[in-house]
Amino acid sequence: MNAPVPSLPTIPSAPLAARPVLRERGQHEVFCGLTGIVWLHRKIQDAFFLVVGSRTCAHLIQSAAGVMIFAEPRFATAILQDQDLAGLTDANDELDRVVGRLLARRPDIKLLFLVGSCPSEVIKLDLSRAALRLSRSNPKVRVLNYSGSGIETTFTQGEDACLASMVPELPTVAAQANDPLMVVGALPDVVEDQFKRLFDALGVPVTFFPPRRSTALPTLAPGTRFLLAQPFLAATAKALEERGAKRLSAPFPFGVEGTRAWLAAATRAFGVSDEHLARVVEPSEQRARTALTQARERLSGKRIFFFPDSQLEVPLARFLSRELNMSLVEVGTPFLHQDHLGPDLAMLPADVTVSEGQDVDRQLERCRAARPDLVVCGLGLANPLEVEGLTTKWSIELVFTPVHGYEQAGDLAELFARPLVRRTRLEV
Amino acid sequence: MQLTVWTYEGPPHVGAMRVATAMRGVHYVLHAPQGDTYADLLFTMIERRQARPPVTYTTFQARDLGKDTAELFKRTARDAYERFKPDLVMVGASCTAELIQDDPAGIGQTIGLPVPVVPVEFSAYQHKENHGASETLYRLVRACTKNGAPRGERPPGPKRCNLLGPTALGFRHRDDVTEVTRLLGQLGVAVNVVAPLGASPADLARLPDADFNVVLYPEVAETTARWLTKVYAQPSVNVVPLGVGATREFVKEVAALAGVDPQPVLDAQLSRLPWYTRSVDSTYLTGKRVFVFGDATHAVAAARIATEELGFTVVGLGTYSRERAREVRAAAAKYGVEALISDDHLEVEETIARLHPELVLGTQMERHTAKRLGVPCAVISAPVHVQDFPARYSPQMGFEGANVIFDTWVHPLMMGLEEHLLTMFREDFEFADGVGASHLGGHAPQAPKLAEPELVAPVVAAPVAASPQPAPVAAAAQAPAGATALAPGWTAEAEKELKKIPFFVRGKAKRNTERFAQERGLSSITLETLYDAKAHFRS
Ligand code: SF4
Ligand code: SF4
């Protein structure tokens, strides 16, 4: 391996030099938070997500999910109709009726989320009261609520809102000697299992939140330390901190460097030596470096432009620039959480434009002018940009594919390399 | 409140988008939150359109609500005009914006754009996509003809007609337009304007120049055609040319309106369907039990083709278009079945499971239901899927459309001789249960162990196994025919015989036999009972 992958990044401890951020306010071309249901309903296996919304909301989930027709997915939409808008009492009765029908059909459901949408927010349908009422009338089911509405949440913020709504449910335990680390953020099971094995080998006790079953919630003790696995969990982190938990600051676990630094944040907090960490992760890092070699040849020096989508943009850009030697043109993100993203931001080159929010038409102009080699964007933009001769990578795939950790580093790089490879192959 | 998992139709503003996107020179300014921009991908991914839909969304947020969302709408509309310079601007609201009552229609009139501004308003909590498309076309046509301003003399020359109804994201609209235009050409009838697909506002203004209208998709264009009849005395051709019989009627109606001779076209034998279906090879199609579901126009047409042109037996007929329930009920009555009018896909699934058809003709929704139930299926109607935009020419209408339909519907079924072989040599180990028609390879209807998730919209390329929870999906699906446990009462011998019956009819044979035994108060089912029941249900 000749590529310069530092084994332990030096994360600046000094306050960040204020990086200029381009703040945009115009048309956003991003999904709303309801979209998170698509992966959350598979993650928590005894949970059901009931959106209280309009036909648009149902259609969005169906379209964004690619309509994976499962025997019966664990989500549905209670579509508001004219009659429901007439008076709020009706809407509550209707909700009770719909939930009753649902729970009768799915006795296996232990946790029900009432998910607010733009229409339910605008008519001020109080879903938190509805959740309380329904919890009382259905003692076997825990009923929670959060909003995935597009007026309040952007794409992955739906997961944030969902997890934040679960934080008050986490049981409190007394302070204990080996209070486990809590890893926060929905991860594909395969990735979660890999991390579990690593933490076991490192001797760091660990729990994962959200759990696979709602009946196995991780516990909180005073001073429980947690590590975010996803960069979009601002509200969840805040709710945990309000309950006395302590966030460990780290870059996000993408690529070799990010994963090492992320694990290091945990091992240092748990008194595990850096040497032990290096020994434990050595085989994984070796594999990951090998896996990255080929992609690096293809991606090195290529210019990449990110449209805002999942908030994964900053850590991914860091990975692409430092481990694959890509050159960053613009890194757009719907929200820039300076605190959570601090370590990743600090590792971005100085000359990159970081933009927050969106005015899609103006951003398209910047993108066309820059003619990057690769554009990371949403599905509404990808084909039209391909027609203009740009090469694109659908951003949603980065959310729907296991990309965290050592074993996925190669796959993650490959996701970016494939569209470029495809271009060079085709001769039609 | 209506509990829904999958919807057949989107909200009405998506119908408006289908019209705007189909046209040239139109821009739609939509008051809507950011998530509603998902609708763009329907066009860019499912239909693989090469440009973004001509839609600008205000994407208002919660923090705008207390302030001036109306002002935001104004600004967005002006900016969109400046950027895209359309010939016409449509203004409207999605479901959420409808609730905040900013009156995009009123604002649109007052912002002083130098082009016509056409408000499209629906009640989003009552109506759906097709209604939205229909209303939008109607509003646009009224606006572009200056509300029915008198037209000049019809230009001389051959008779001309308009083709009304094709939109963006329509089920085979692209190819239907080509096919019907060709057919009209064979009759010597010229097409004046196709609308909305490919039309500009100026083209809509020319609609009155035609001698008559052809309504290809009544769901979208019937309202407009009626208005044109009333105001411009343009008659409409009301037969939709789906299937050979309907296409022949269509030819006659057009010929009558155009004053031309239909006979050369009728005599030309332009479809292979009539011969293919008479060929002895097709005998095995006789009496196949089919369930039909789709939008009203396609469902009614499919039931007719199934019965008259393929010799199937319609065992169920339904639609999700409540607006057009009446015509579906009337058709169902003809086939002696009860119409299923429902937009609840679970109800449709239950009905299919209960009726045990041998073929389902439905939408993408029914395709998945059928797959779970192990029944062959062909897709006949929207909602659309990326597969409904094939690279090859593949119309549904006209004589070529009939050819396409013959192939598409017959393909999922067993080939005739193969079916016999399966029956005769049940015990050949390679004919194991779940083996489907050999020409379908791995795609044969299978006894589903797991309902395998599948992508209908194109969106996520990642295989589902890559989604955060690649959990095995509990198959709450209906147990497939043949996989059900035997009810007590079957003798071992009879049970063994039952297993020799091909899996795709075994469920039916089992149920029939049990019903037969029950009705006769028999306590056990023997070999005799099995064959008695078979004879009983044959007669
Ligand atoms: S943006 Fe609002 S109205 Fe649109 S789909 Fe999302 S929650 Fe529903
Ligand atoms: S498996 Fe293949 S043939 Fe069968 S439904 Fe899916 S795509 Fe169609």
Side-chain angles (χ1 to χ4, degrees), chain A residues 25 27 29 42 54 59 62-63 66-67 77 79 82 84 94 151 153-154 188-189 365 379 383 394 400 402, chain B residues 1-2 4 7 34 38 40 44 52 57 62 64 83 95-96 126 346 372 453-454 456 459 466 468-469 473:
Chain A
R25 173 72 186 102
Q27 179 181 319
E29 181 88 15
R42 309 283 0 144
S54 62
H59 205 228
Q62 162 166 345
S63 313
V67 189
T77 307
I79 297 185
D82 266 354
D84 304 312
E94 277 293 289
I151 56 178
T153 60
T154 300
D189 289 349
E365 280 167 6
L379 296 167
N383 268 337
W394 313 346
F400 281 76
Chain B
M1 273 178 210
Q2 189 196 1
T4 307
T7 68
Q34 61 182 355
Y38 80 88
D40 285 358
T44 61
R52 293 166 65 207
Y57 307 79
D64 302 320
R83 180 176 292 276
C95 53
T96 307
Q126 200 182 334
L346 291 175
R372 279 200 290 278
E454 200 196 344
V456 165
V459 186
Q469 175 55 29
V473 183

Side-chain angles (χ1 to χ4, degrees), chain B residues 367-408:
Chain B
R367 188 172 68 93
H368 284 88
T369 299
K371 197 172 166 190
R372 279 200 290 278
L373 299 176
V375 184
C377 176
V379 174
I380 59 157
S381 154
V384 288
H385 173 330
V386 66
Q387 288 176 357
D388 299 319
F389 297 91
R392 67 180 182 279
Y393 181 59
S394 191
Q396 297 286 291
M397 292 186 179
F399 293 118
E400 181 60 21
N403 293 340
V404 170
I405 286 175
F406 181 89
D407 289 347
T408 325

